[in-house]
Amino acid sequence: MKTFTRIKVINNREYLYEITPYYDPETKKIRHKSRYLGKNKEGRPVRVRSHIPVRAFSYGEFIPFLSIIQELKIKEILSEYLNLEEVTSLIAVVLNRVVHPLSLQHIGSWFEGTCLYVDNPDIALSSQSLSRLLEKIGNSSLPMKLSEGVIRQLKTEKVFFYDVTSISSYSKGIGILEYGYNRDNDGLAQVNVSLIVDRQMGIPVMYEIYPGSIVDVSTLLNTMKKLEGYGVKDCLMVLDRGFFSTANLLELEERGMSYIIPASISMKVIKAALNKVQKKLLDPNSIRMYNGETMFVSHIEVKIAERLIKGYCYYSPSRQNRESEIFYKRLYEIKEAIERHGESRRIGMDTIEEIAGQYKRYFKITRLNKGIEVKIRRNAVTQHINRLGRFIILYKGDIGWEECLRTYRGKDIVEKGFDILKNDLEGYTPNMRKESTLRGLLFMLFIGLMIRMRLMKKMENAGLNKKYSIDGLITELSKLKMIELSNGQKLKTELTKKQKQILSLLDLCA
């Protein structure tokens, strides 16, 4: 039986194989042995890999992030203040954080196994050189310049979400690290970091660093001045309740800046406005539907420091039921705990009030000869229940009730950003010797947060978030390698079906 040549089509490419027929005595059938000849070029075999592979580099996982860095012109902005080697080193550290976070001392070894090294083989990433680079950045105005550059080039609707978090640290002797309201309850000194996220792009565009003892409410003025300095006009600031104060409202009003902010019920005029609107709020004509949820909505106006502030009062019956269940359950647990401890005469009233905590105003506690008597204050509980499920959002601008609520609830993206910063990018409890190095590290983390959140937004727009997490998508793309042959030629491995789909939906090329 004579041999013959056969063409096989693999991934839309033609390859030639030598086929040798032979008789199989076991099956008593004719079988075929095939031998690869090469790629089909006008009927002649051409060996694609006449040289053997000698090295493989990580490649696929960097494709979306490098594209985003190009989209946001991050390299161009950095290049105005850093030399080429410094820019390349910083980008390498950033990409390490977004795909596989390592300490500075291990980044050099990691870098040599990536496609980044292929274009920059002369760059040595030692922990000492990287620490010096972070220190240089921390002593410079580069963080401000990057934010200004990104904000000026964005052509978005200018809706910004603003919030503050704390980052704890084991570092000693750094002045900016102070004890304050610690959101992680770890008992460490901290630095406070504010973040402004652009709603349309889904990325943070600005951050500020404050001493750990600075309270949230006092950071807003500085941020507004910075935005104005960057040429931001006609923006809408979406703020959390922690920034609600008379001073901040007046500042926003005087600067003509549009805003959305939930009001604190602790302010007397807000409490009075809520009580005043109660009857109107329960009117059946105030019923609205929001994402399938029944909602009662009423427009209000509140006078604060001689200024008339517009707002919407919302009442959600389903939310009231959920909050009431939680409240009553906690009330019962505290009552039982007080009665149990009250049986011991050695327990003082101070300890009992400590058990009640912020719930003590709902109890009347009396020490008796044989123990303790605990009664729940009916009026106090009724007043609290009547406020549950109700909230007021104040605003400035031409904003309807639904847009106001939807925009405010969109602020969750900032919380996601803080979670990515601390956990995915491992920005939690950094340990640095100098304040400048810590500032440089936070700048590096900020860039990492920008490109990771931008990918998150692009995945959402493409519908990929329904099938992949960011880490899942990175893992899938990481199977795509860059191969170096013995003759120095660089090739990329074949794309899988999943990789093709991901890159197509993200409008990327391998």
Side-chain angles (χ1 to χ4, degrees), residues 46 81 86 110 147 176 182 345 422:
V46 176
Y81 308 95
E86 290 171 334
W110 166 85
S147 291
I176 201 169
N182 193 300
R345 297 292 298 174
K422 294 181 181 182

Side-chain angles (χ1 to χ4, degrees), residues 231-274:
V232 174
K233 297 179 181 179
D234 301 323
C235 73
L236 171 65
M237 292 287 288
V238 185
L239 307 162
D240 204 355
R241 186 174 279 105
F243 299 98
F244 181 77
S245 71
T246 300
N248 278 344
L249 282 175
L250 293 179
E251 200 66 52
L252 286 162
E253 287 281 333
E254 287 175 9
R255 291 177 181 275
M257 193 173 283
S258 299
Y259 60 84
I260 291 175
I261 184 169
S264 173
I265 199 69
S266 61
M267 186 179 284
K268 288 183 180 180
V269 291
I270 299 299
K271 189 181 293 184
L274 185 58

Side-chain angles (χ1 to χ4, degrees), residues 183-431:
R183 294 156 180 82
D184 300 307
N185 297 314
D186 51 28
L188 297 173
Q190 65 188 34
V191 60
N192 288 337
V193 179
S194 69
L195 206 62
I196 284 189
V197 176
D198 180 273
R199 179 174 71 171
Q200 187 171 316
M201 293 289 288
I203 62 170
V205 293
M206 190 178 110
Y207 76 103
E208 287 289 326
I209 302 172
Y210 300 94
S213 61
I214 298 293
V215 294
D216 295 0
V217 71
S218 62
T219 64
L220 183 60
L221 177 58
N222 186 51
T223 299
M224 289 189 291
K225 288 180 178 178
K226 286 279 181 68
L227 283 174
E228 289 173 350
Y230 295 157
V232 174
K233 297 179 181 179
D234 301 323
C235 73
L236 171 65
M237 292 287 288
V238 185
L239 307 162
D240 204 355
R241 186 174 279 105
F243 299 98
F244 181 77
S245 71
T246 300
N248 278 344
L249 282 175
L250 293 179
E251 200 66 52
L252 286 162
E253 287 281 333
E254 287 175 9
R255 291 177 181 275
M257 193 173 283
S258 299
Y259 60 84
I260 291 175
I261 184 169
S264 173
I265 199 69
S266 61
M267 186 179 284
K268 288 183 180 180
V269 291
I270 299 299
K271 189 181 293 184
L274 185 58
N275 292 333
K276 185 178 179 181
V277 80
Q278 286 282 23
K279 187 174 181 180
K280 186 178 180 182
L281 199 61
L282 295 175
D283 188 326
N285 292 305
S286 298
I287 294 176
R288 304 287 186 273
M289 292 300 293
Y290 179 80
N291 291 343
E293 177 186 357
T294 304
M295 189 85 69
F296 291 79
V297 183
S298 178
H299 191 269
I300 63 169
E301 289 185 337
V302 183
K303 197 170 187 179
I304 299 177
E306 304 305 316
R307 283 184 178 268
L308 212 56
I309 311 292
K310 297 182 294 183
Y312 293 103
C313 185
Y314 301 87
Y315 167 52
S316 168
S318 59
R319 177 174 169 175
Q320 183 186 39
N321 290 336
R322 293 193 301 270
E323 292 177 346
S324 297
E325 177 66 24
I326 294 170
F327 175 74
Y328 281 129
K329 183 180 179 181
R330 184 63 182 143
L331 208 62
Y332 177 78
E333 291 172 346
I334 292 173
K335 184 175 183 292
E336 282 213 322
I338 294 173
E339 290 174 339
R340 188 168 58 252
H341 285 81
E343 293 175 1
S344 171
R345 297 292 298 174
R346 289 175 293 179
I347 303 295
M349 289 298 290
D350 290 344
T351 304
I352 290 172
E353 288 186 359
E354 196 174 303
I355 294 170
Q358 61 181 355
Y359 282 76
K360 66 182 180 181
R361 61 195 177 101
Y362 301 114
F363 295 101
K364 181 181 179 183
I365 304 170
T366 308
R367 172 70 77 179
L368 303 176
N369 292 332
K370 295 183 179 181
I372 196 169
E373 182 181 66
V374 184
K375 288 187 176 180
I376 296 176
R377 298 181 185 273
R378 186 181 303 168
N379 290 342
V381 169
T382 301
Q383 288 177 11
H384 178 76
I385 293 296
N386 286 341
R387 292 197 191 105
L388 295 181
R390 296 161 171 82
F391 56 97
I392 290 175
I393 299 179
L394 302 181
Y395 71 94
K396 179 180 177 66
D398 185 16
I399 308 171
W401 72 268
E402 188 172 7
E403 182 187 355
C404 186
L405 182 60
R406 183 178 62 253
T407 302
Y408 173 69
R409 289 187 173 178
K411 71 177 180 58
D412 291 346
I413 191 173
V414 189
E415 292 300 325
K416 290 179 183 177
F418 288 146
D419 181 63
I420 293 171
L421 182 70
K422 294 181 181 182
N423 298 307
D424 296 349
L425 301 180
E426 296 190 0
Y428 181 61
T429 62
N431 192 359

